[in-house]
Amino acid sequence: QGAMFRCSARCCEDAAASMQEVQRCIERCHAPLARAQAIVTAELEHFQDRLSRCSLQCSDQAKDALDSGGSEPRVRGQLDACLATCGEQHLRLVPAMAKKMRDGLANIQ
């Protein structure tokens, strides 16, 4: 972040530069941060989407079980177990997601 601030400060040092040129210069300084944020946001959204799909599948199974005459306490137990499995499966994905983020961030210029 310090490098970004120094870069932005240098943009303002050229007294001959127009406001538009200064603004474009500052935007170029901020571009790596924007790319970094986009990488992290995309990975987190993908992870959230996968977890959400798993949870929805659990809910669908529970609804189907209730519609088939399953008792509510039994179906609730199955739903809880299914959701716990979703959580465990997705916790195991976190290290790979973190590595993808690190690799992506390492390639930002």
Side-chain angles (χ1 to χ4, degrees), residues 9-22:
R10 280 194 300 274
C11 293
C12 302
E13 289 172 357
D14 183 358
S18 70
M19 281 301 293
Q20 274 188 326
E21 288 169 331
V22 171

Side-chain angles (χ1 to χ4, degrees), residues 12-55:
C12 302
E13 289 172 357
D14 183 358
S18 70
M19 281 301 293
Q20 274 188 326
E21 288 169 331
V22 171
Q23 187 173 353
R24 276 197 297 273
C25 179
I26 290 172
E27 285 170 1
R28 280 193 300 276
C29 293
H30 286 250
L33 177 61
R35 287 195 294 273
Q37 287 175 325
I39 287 168
V40 171
T41 298
E43 283 301 320
L44 290 175
E45 284 178 352
H46 179 65
F47 179 82
Q48 180 68 39
D49 186 49
R50 288 183 65 164
L51 182 56
S52 180
R53 284 199 313 267
C54 188
S55 299

Side-chain angles (χ1 to χ4, degrees), residues 8 10-11 20 23 26 30 37 39-40 56 60 63 68 73-74 81 83 88 95 98 108-109:
S8 298
R10 280 194 300 274
C11 293
Q20 274 188 326
Q23 187 173 353
I26 290 172
H30 286 250
Q37 287 175 325
I39 287 168
V40 171
L56 285 172
D60 287 344
K63 185 182 179 309
S68 299
R74 184 159 179 264
L83 292 172
E88 290 165 12
I108 292 178
Q109 302 299 327

